[in-house]
């Protein structure tokens, strides 16, 4: 066991992870410190042995930590989309419409979004390992409880799905910052790509597990009882394997003082003045809008298309919905996720050698390229399900190129002591304007369209088809935001590097006040008040 655990985690429970002296910002361009006398390029990109000396964590153990974090990330998304895999059965069980079905995901995302800044603040200041352990244990218990709700208590299902957001907020805002403190440069990009494989793969497994467990057990409730047990295994792995690395140590020179956390408001002001962070977050918001809508509604849409084509009988009250679309869509999501994330990272890494703006440009190409294919997938559904699946495959492949790259952009344009806060507010923005409201909005538009049409299976299909076409236009807007990011990425990245290395410090807002004596004391008042 000692070989697995390595050195004990020395960070106190829920205490400051880095007790550092106040940062001394200066413009001392003559810094010559290095990692063991290495050349400057080795200072900025230390090898595995150099990282071990800095963090106290061996390369093998660091890779194992990433494996544990990846498993938990996969589990989070698997749980999130298990509900989507059995959504037609949930609609039949609780006797609800499209808008109420969309509300299930909206309530969860809203809770997750609201709590993310709280855990972002805590993650920048306290022990990240124990914060994640507590959140995931709570999430597992609430998910298990949601599987026992009776049919007349739909509001209670909404409430428990909201509580699940507590666990996800505690994890998603913190885990990427651990990876950032264990690796640098291309190593970090590769590890982030492994971590973000879990998003599409976990989502696909959620559809697969939900539909297959329901078929085996003959009851959709059992689909919600798979991930809680796996969640408790995740808590055990976190406690035994994960160690807390020092924040930002792998990125600063050995003779520069460690970075100290600044006030929460100072963090927010700095992030708001960082155009690369703001624009890439807006681009990621478009990704969240599209993926959130498709994740919940694509299986239901494909089922309705099959009903219209006469390939599948409709869902009838009191009977299980018979369709293979959740399983097929889940497999497509897994495959396109693996291919998309890997290709996005590798394309960006190759282009980065000649073009420092490669990251946002690859993200823009992915979003702008996916939009027409998703539109064609929706338009062709009434004619051919096979053609629809082909276009969905291409659209999701291009969309998946963004996941790891967006995370990498955030980590290199934001200094280490603000990264959890930046992750949190990117989550808030992307979910507030993205997938928190998009499932409900799509369902609401669908219900409004159906209200004006004669009741029929064709009208149900058409209403959902027209409402989902909104995703293609939102994707195009997101591509434009990433093109804007490319204009600022070089300057923002360089500023973050200089700040970490102690060569730059934050400049406070200009103070235009002067001192005016008042009854023997010096008082600061605006210049304009004196000139009047």
């Amino acid at each position: 066991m000692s070989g697995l655990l390595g050195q004990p985690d020395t960070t106190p429970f829920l205490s400051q992870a880095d007790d550092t002296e106040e940062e001394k910002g200066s413009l001392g361009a003559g810094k010559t410190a290095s990692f063991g006398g290495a050349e400057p390029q080795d200072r900025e990109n230390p090898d595995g042995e150099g990282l071990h000396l800095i963090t106290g964590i061996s390369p093998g153990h660091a890779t194992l930590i990433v494996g544990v974090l990846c498993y938990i990330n996969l589990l989070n998304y698997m749980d999130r989309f298990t509900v989507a895999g059995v959504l037609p059965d949930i609609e039949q069980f609780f006797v609800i419409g499209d808008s109420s079905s969309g509300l299930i995901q909206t309530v969860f995302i809203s809770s997750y979004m609201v709590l993310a800044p709280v855990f972002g603040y805590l993650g920048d200041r306290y022990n990240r390992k124990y914060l994640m352990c507590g959140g995931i244990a709570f999430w597992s218990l609430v998910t298990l409880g949601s599987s026992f709700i009776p049919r007349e208590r739909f509001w209670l299902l909404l409430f428990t799905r909201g509580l699940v957001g507590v666990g996800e907020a505690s994890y998603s805002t913190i885990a990427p910052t651990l990876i950032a403190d264990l690796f640098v440069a291309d190593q970090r990009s590769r590890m982030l790509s492994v971590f973000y494989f879990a998003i599409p793969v976990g989502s696909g497994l959620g559809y697969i597990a939900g539909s297959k467990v329901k078929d085996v057990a003959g009851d959709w409730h059992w689909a919600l009882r798979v991930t809680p047990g796996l969640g408790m295994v995740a808590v055990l792995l976190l406690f035994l394997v994960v160690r807390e690395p020092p924040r930002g140590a792998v990125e600063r020179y050995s003779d520069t003082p460690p970075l100290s956390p600044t006030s929460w408001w100072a963090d927010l002001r700095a992030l708001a003045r960082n155009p690369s962070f703001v624009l890439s977050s807006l681009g990621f918001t478009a990704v969240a809008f599209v993926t959130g809508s498709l994740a919940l509604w694509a299986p239901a849409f494909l089922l309705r298309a099959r009903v219209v084509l006469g390939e599948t009988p409709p869902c009838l009250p009191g009977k299980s919905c018979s369709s293979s679309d959740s399983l097929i869509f889940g497999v497509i999501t897994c495959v396109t996720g693996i291919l998309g994330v890997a290709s996005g990272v590798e394309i960006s890494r190759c282009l980065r050698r000649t073009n420092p703006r490669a990251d946002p440009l690859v993200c823009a190409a992915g979003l702008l390229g996916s939009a027409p294919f998703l539109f064609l997938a929706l338009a062709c559904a009434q004619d051919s399900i096979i053609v629809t699946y082909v276009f969905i495959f291409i659209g999701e492949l291009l969309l998946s190129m963004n996941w790891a790259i967006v995370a990498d952009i955030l980590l290199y344009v934001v200094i280490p002591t603000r990264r959890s806060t930046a992750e949190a507010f990117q989550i808030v923005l992307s979910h507030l304007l993205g997938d928190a409201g998009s499932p409900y909005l799509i369902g609401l538009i669908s219900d409004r369209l159906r209200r004006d049409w004669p009741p029929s299976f064709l009208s149900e299909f058409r209403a959902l088809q027209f409402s989902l076409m909104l995703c293609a236009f939102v994707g195009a807007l997101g591509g434009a935001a990433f093109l804007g990011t490319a204009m600022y990425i070089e300057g923002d990245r360089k500023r973050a590097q200089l700040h970490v290395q102690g060569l730059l410090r934050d400049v406070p807002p200009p103070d235009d006040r002067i001192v005016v004596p008042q009854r023997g004391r010096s008082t600061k008042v605006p210049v304009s008040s004196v000139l009047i």
Side-chain angles (χ1 to χ4, degrees):
M1 181 66 73
S2 61
L4 174 67
L5 300 180
Q7 297 180 12
D9 193 335
T10 57
T11 308
F13 178 75
L14 287 182
S15 66
Q16 289 283 6
D18 305 297
D19 293 327
T20 62
E21 61 180 283
E22 186 174 351
E23 182 178 321
K24 301 176 183 178
S26 68
L27 296 175
K31 289 192 179 290
T32 59
S34 64
F35 296 115
E39 293 300 316
Q41 54 265 39
D42 294 326
R43 288 201 305 249
E44 296 178 4
N45 300 303
D47 58 14
E49 186 61 31
L51 292 174
H52 186 190
L53 293 174
I54 297 166
T55 64
I57 300 174
S58 68
H61 195 159
T63 303
L64 185 60
I65 289 173
V66 173
V68 172
L69 297 179
C70 184
Y71 164 72
I72 301 171
N73 203 31
L74 183 145
L75 195 59
N76 277 342
Y77 281 87
M78 182 177 170
D79 173 78
R80 185 184 300 187
F81 293 105
T82 297
V83 172
V86 295
L87 186 61
D89 296 275
I90 293 176
E91 287 184 325
Q92 292 295 331
F93 183 80
F94 289 104
V95 192
I96 55 177
D98 286 350
S99 57
S100 295
S101 299
L103 200 59
I104 296 173
Q105 191 78 340
T106 294
V107 168
F108 159 73
I109 295 295
S110 297
S111 167
Y112 173 44
M113 173 187 69
V114 169
L115 292 167
V118 176
F119 285 101
Y121 176 87
L122 296 174
D124 278 333
R125 292 159 177 81
Y126 302 105
N127 189 294
R128 293 170 283 188
K129 168 179 170 177
Y130 295 118
L131 287 170
M132 290 190 293
C133 283
I136 293 170
F138 180 79
W139 154 71
S140 300
L141 294 174
V142 171
T143 300
L144 180 63
S146 67
S147 68
F148 296 98
I149 295 172
R151 67 176 68 243
E152 63 274 9
R153 296 285 188 272
F154 175 67
W155 63 269
L156 189 55
L157 177 66
L158 295 177
F159 179 70
T160 54
R161 293 306 294 174
L163 292 179
V164 169
V166 176
E168 294 224 18
S170 69
Y171 178 78
S172 298
T173 57
I174 294 174
T177 68
L178 284 172
I179 298 175
D181 288 334
L182 291 170
F183 301 95
V184 293
D186 286 347
Q187 293 173 297
R188 177 189 291 172
S189 297
R190 291 193 181 96
M191 289 301 174
L192 284 172
S193 69
V194 172
F195 179 76
Y196 283 102
F197 277 143
I199 294 179
V201 174
S203 303
L205 289 177
Y207 294 113
I208 296 169
S211 60
K212 299 311 291 184
V213 170
K214 178 203 72 174
D215 291 342
V216 171
D219 184 357
W220 67 268
H221 291 88
W222 284 97
L224 301 182
R225 296 168 188 167
V226 175
T227 53
L230 298 175
M232 299 314 294
V233 173
V235 173
L236 185 63
L237 289 173
L238 266 176
F239 188 78
L240 294 177
V241 175
V242 175
R243 291 178 50 210
E244 177 88 0
R247 288 179 175 85
V250 297
E251 295 167 274
R252 64 176 180 257
Y253 292 176
S254 59
D255 66 341
T256 57
L259 295 175
S260 297
T262 52
S263 71
W264 193 62
W265 289 111
D267 291 346
L268 295 187
R269 287 195 300 269
L271 293 174
R273 295 195 300 266
N274 188 327
S276 294
F277 169 74
V278 173
L279 289 170
S280 64
S281 296
L282 289 174
F284 188 63
T285 299
V287 176
F289 186 100
V290 176
T291 55
S293 300
L294 293 177
L296 187 69
W297 287 116
F301 171 74
L302 292 166
L303 174 60
R304 294 182 189 184
R306 288 187 185 276
V307 171
V308 170
L309 291 170
E311 298 179 4
T312 301
C315 291
L316 299 176
K319 294 185 179 181
S320 178
C321 296
S322 175
S323 174
S324 60
D325 291 300
S326 290
L327 177 62
I328 297 172
F329 186 74
V331 172
I332 288 177
T333 303
C334 285
V335 174
T336 56
I338 294 172
L339 296 177
V341 172
S343 61
V345 169
E346 289 306 310
I347 291 171
S348 179
R349 188 175 64 85
C350 292
L351 293 178
R352 211 183 291 167
R353 298 168 185 167
T354 55
N355 188 345
R357 301 176 179 179
D359 286 351
L361 291 177
V362 171
C363 289
L367 262 180
L368 293 173
S370 68
F373 286 104
L374 294 177
F375 184 88
L376 290 172
L378 296 168
C380 296
Q382 193 177 356
D383 300 318
S384 173
I385 290 294
I386 295 177
V387 172
T388 297
Y389 272 124
V390 170
F391 285 136
I392 287 177
F393 184 95
I394 299 173
E396 285 208 317
L397 177 67
L398 293 170
L399 202 61
S400 297
M401 292 172 63
N402 291 273
W403 292 110
I405 301 177
V406 172
D408 205 8
I409 289 173
L410 182 149
L411 293 173
Y412 65 63
V413 301
V414 177
I415 64 173
T417 54
R418 293 180 182 139
R419 284 175 180 161
S420 289
T421 299
E423 291 279 357
F425 277 90
Q426 188 173 85
I427 287 172
V428 169
L429 181 64
S430 62
H431 292 311
L432 178 64
L433 302 178
D435 57 351
S438 64
Y440 177 71
L441 178 62
I442 297 298
L444 185 63
I445 294 173
S446 176
D447 279 349
R448 292 290 175 86
L449 291 173
R450 286 167 57 187
R451 189 172 61 185
D452 298 329
W453 296 343
S456 68
F457 295 124
L458 179 60
S459 65
E460 291 181 3
F461 164 76
R462 285 289 191 194
L464 191 54
Q465 180 189 44
F466 291 155
S467 59
L468 281 171
M469 285 181 176
L470 179 63
C471 295
F473 298 100
V474 172
L477 292 176
F482 279 120
L483 290 177
T485 306
M487 298 171 60
Y488 299 97
I489 195 77
E490 293 180 85
D492 290 335
R493 180 174 189 169
K494 189 62 178 178
R495 274 188 288 274
Q497 290 174 339
L498 293 174
H499 194 117
V500 171
Q501 294 164 3
L503 304 177
L504 186 69
R505 59 179 179 144
D506 286 332
V507 179
D511 190 354
D512 67 342
R513 297 179 294 176
I514 62 174
V515 177
V516 178
Q518 182 182 16
R519 297 183 182 178
R521 294 181 299 171
S522 296
T523 304
K524 287 188 176 182
V525 299
V527 173
S528 57
S529 300
V530 180
L531 298 179
I532 293 177

